[in-house]
Amino acid sequence: MDVAICLFSSDLRLHDQPVLHAALRSATQVVPLFVVDTGIADAGFMVPNRAAFLADALADLDAGLRGRGGRLVIRTGDVVAETCRVAAETGAGEVHLGAGVSGYALRRERRLGAELSAAGRALVVHDAVVTALPPAAVLPSGPDKDHFAVFTPYFRRWQAAGLRSVLPAPRSVGVPAGVRSEDVPSAAELCPGGKPSPALPEGGESAGRRRFGAWQRSGMADYQDRQDDLPGDATSRLSPYLHFGCLSPVELVHKASARQDAGAEAFVRQLAWRDFHHQVLAARPDAAHADYRSRGDRWRQDDAEVTAWKEGRTGYPVVDAGMRQLLHEGWLHNRARMLVASFLTKTLYVDWRVGARHFLDLLVDGDMANNQLNWQWMAGTGTDTRPNRVLNPLVQAKRFDPQGEYVRRWVPELAGLAGAAVHQPWKLSGPERAAYDYPDPVVDLADGLGRFRRARGLE
């Protein structure tokens, strides 16, 4: 075959890139194609933070391809129509694509396969591109079991399954001459009028590999002990690079596993959690918007409380610190994600979909599988085997921010309060309390827990 297309999606890298690797093996020339999908923008999911990261990632991918004699071909529009158009223009016989798991990705994949087949061309879909294992690679026993609903048994099978080998980056990429391409888009072009958070990470494979290398040398060994340390900020911060496929989960698992220390094992477990959520969503695509396990909730609607939560003005400092970090960085520490999600769904008793949508509006790593299913886990409508667990913000603050350093970093109006006193400013005396421009709690914790328990029929 003379020409094949490598259709990039959530796999914007050259190292360990099965889609590009297969396209290069199948043809003498390859079109590395990325289509700016207008359907994503129309659905409201092309938000400023991810647009900025995507612009960086595309520029870095283009630079990497040019360093190998190729270039990235950019088109804008409907992915199926534009891909078929490029295939017709170049005479490509095959289109190679990494498998998706969301309902949107699966519908797009089916449409593309049908359109290409009608034109006498083939769609080749590759697994283990955005996850370490394909979603259906391990299944529970039983003829009607199409996914694992509990993480621990999934993880045991995941560990035993074995991963594919890591693929090298190509030395050269030959692209057909004369293929029309738009310029690599800027963040402003991807999301007109959008304003990214002020402290976003740099996007792209090069930045991701630098970050992983530095963290592997200086942070991974302590990850087991420090992954919940809010002020220590000791997590890898690799989630945006995994979401956009700038880093390969297969490569990360191989490199971490080779270390054989507790920190690396804990990190691999988190990568397995990511795979777990992808296999749930692949089997139950409606879990992106519907309860995975309904609890008969009658969610409250209180616009003032939701606004206070979004703005980091709930009156609970550790909750507000997390929400303000999200606004400033477009990213949030995993422990803080759990804490603020529990507060919205269990203390305020607000529908998890409200929180999940807000996260998707801001998170640079906003991922349909991980975001939605983690929200459902915290709301008790997902795969959690203890659906009624509540993370008390005061207990969480005492355990994971004992001296209040995280709170003082993100809630500067309380910076004058020393030590753990910062977590309960409402206990200050009247004149001292008036000196701080900080709201009273939007709800009493006991009252919030009571209405949640009554709604769930627990009392």
Side-chain angles (χ1 to χ4, degrees), residues 41 97 128 271 358 436:
L97 172 68
L271 293 171
H358 182 65
Y436 292 95

Side-chain angles (χ1 to χ4, degrees), residues 227-421:
Q227 60 182 307
D228 287 317
D229 179 2
L230 285 170
D233 194 16
T235 63
S236 70
R237 287 182 174 254
L238 295 176
S239 53
Y241 303 95
L242 286 162
H243 170 64
F244 283 94
C246 301
L247 292 176
S248 158
V250 172
E251 184 177 6
L252 297 192
V253 172
H254 276 295
K255 287 186 173 181
S257 299
R259 293 170 55 104
Q260 297 183 334
D261 59 51
E265 290 174 3
F267 176 62
V268 169
R269 185 180 178 88
Q270 292 304 309
L271 293 171
W273 264 109
R274 183 174 178 272
D275 276 17
F276 172 76
H277 285 143
H278 277 75
Q279 60 96 38
V280 173
L281 189 64
R284 299 287 185 273
D286 63 344
H289 53 81
D291 289 348
Y292 179 81
R293 291 190 176 112
S294 177
R295 306 294 177 186
D297 286 301
R298 300 179 298 279
W299 302 107
R300 295 175 60 252
Q301 293 184 354
D302 190 311
D303 292 344
E305 289 183 358
V306 170
T307 298
W309 177 81
K310 288 181 178 181
E311 294 178 352
R313 301 280 297 173
T314 68
Y316 290 94
V318 73
V319 173
D320 294 342
M323 298 307 295
R324 295 188 195 188
Q325 181 183 20
L326 175 61
L327 287 166
H328 187 74
E329 294 189 346
W331 183 88
L332 187 56
H333 191 289
N334 183 61
R335 173 55 56 175
R337 294 188 198 210
M338 296 168 64
L339 197 161
V340 302
S342 176
F343 186 83
L344 183 73
T345 59
K346 302 287 180 63
T347 304
L348 300 182
Y349 196 50
V350 170
D351 194 330
W352 65 266
R353 281 159 281 246
V354 174
R357 178 70 241 192
H358 182 65
F359 269 33
L360 285 177
D361 286 343
L362 290 172
L363 282 174
V364 69
D365 62 16
D367 180 282
M368 194 60 69
N370 294 295
N371 185 66
Q372 308 302 88
L373 290 170
N374 272 316
W375 267 97
Q376 291 225 47
W377 195 89
M378 289 311 307
T381 62
T383 61
D384 188 3
T385 55
R386 292 172 52 200
N388 297 317
R389 79 173 76 210
V390 177
L391 301 186
N392 182 306
L394 299 183
V395 174
Q396 294 285 301
K398 182 178 180 180
R399 289 184 63 189
F400 302 117
D401 187 27
Q403 295 304 311
E405 300 166 57
Y406 179 72
V407 165
R408 280 186 288 275
R409 183 183 305 157
W410 294 109
V411 189
E413 60 265 42
L414 297 179
L417 285 173

Side-chain angles (χ1 to χ4, degrees), residues 2-347:
D2 291 332
V3 179
I5 292 173
C6 167
L7 179 58
F8 286 95
S9 181
S10 299
D11 50 1
L12 304 179
R13 64 180 185 269
L14 297 178
H15 291 81
D16 193 44
Q17 181 27 303
V19 182
L20 179 59
H21 188 81
L24 288 168
R25 282 190 309 171
S26 70
T28 55
Q29 293 186 308
V30 168
V31 181
L33 174 66
F34 182 85
V35 179
V36 179
D37 187 354
T38 52
I40 291 177
D42 292 343
F45 288 102
M46 183 62 80
V47 297
N49 287 344
R50 290 196 294 281
F53 196 96
L54 175 59
D56 285 350
L58 293 175
D60 185 67
L61 180 59
D62 182 55
L65 287 165
R66 289 181 184 276
R68 292 165 170 80
R71 62 190 173 97
L72 183 62
V73 174
I74 302 283
R75 297 288 178 92
T76 299
D78 175 74
V79 172
V80 173
E82 290 301 322
T83 303
C84 290
R85 186 171 291 116
V86 173
E89 292 171 2
T90 60
E94 291 180 351
V95 174
H96 293 259
L97 172 68
V101 299
S102 71
Y104 181 83
L106 294 173
R107 289 190 297 272
R108 187 175 62 187
E109 184 181 301
R110 287 193 292 269
R111 285 199 300 122
L112 180 57
E115 292 290 331
L116 290 171
S117 178
R121 310 180 198 281
L123 176 65
V124 184
V125 179
H126 300 271
D127 288 322
V129 178
V130 300
T131 53
L133 282 184
V138 294
L139 296 173
S141 301
D144 299 324
K145 302 291 187 179
D146 58 359
H147 72 291
F148 277 92
V150 179
F151 176 73
T152 300
Y154 172 80
F155 185 47
R156 287 196 293 265
R157 293 286 299 276
W158 185 92
Q159 287 179 299
L163 305 183
R164 62 170 176 79
S165 299
V166 176
L167 299 169
R171 294 183 178 180
S172 63
V173 179
V175 179
V179 182
R180 180 180 65 82
S181 176
E182 301 164 14
D183 293 335
V184 176
S186 67
E189 290 168 328
L190 289 170
C191 189
K195 186 177 180 181
S197 295
L200 288 181
E202 178 187 1
E205 180 181 18
S206 299
R209 295 184 75 82
R210 287 194 300 269
R211 184 178 290 272
F212 175 70
W215 186 72
Q216 186 181 29
R217 291 189 297 272
S218 62
M220 186 181 289
D222 297 327
Y223 182 64
Q224 167 75 2
D225 298 325
R226 300 188 62 205
Q227 60 182 307
D228 287 317
D229 179 2
L230 285 170
D233 194 16
T235 63
S236 70
R237 287 182 174 254
L238 295 176
S239 53
Y241 303 95
L242 286 162
H243 170 64
F244 283 94
C246 301
L247 292 176
S248 158
V250 172
E251 184 177 6
L252 297 192
V253 172
H254 276 295
K255 287 186 173 181
S257 299
R259 293 170 55 104
Q260 297 183 334
D261 59 51
E265 290 174 3
F267 176 62
V268 169
R269 185 180 178 88
Q270 292 304 309
L271 293 171
W273 264 109
R274 183 174 178 272
D275 276 17
F276 172 76
H277 285 143
H278 277 75
Q279 60 96 38
V280 173
L281 189 64
R284 299 287 185 273
D286 63 344
H289 53 81
D291 289 348
Y292 179 81
R293 291 190 176 112
S294 177
R295 306 294 177 186
D297 286 301
R298 300 179 298 279
W299 302 107
R300 295 175 60 252
Q301 293 184 354
D302 190 311
D303 292 344
E305 289 183 358
V306 170
T307 298
W309 177 81
K310 288 181 178 181
E311 294 178 352
R313 301 280 297 173
T314 68
Y316 290 94
V318 73
V319 173
D320 294 342
M323 298 307 295
R324 295 188 195 188
Q325 181 183 20
L326 175 61
L327 287 166
H328 187 74
E329 294 189 346
W331 183 88
L332 187 56
H333 191 289
N334 183 61
R335 173 55 56 175
R337 294 188 198 210
M338 296 168 64
L339 197 161
V340 302
S342 176
F343 186 83
L344 183 73
T345 59
K346 302 287 180 63
T347 304

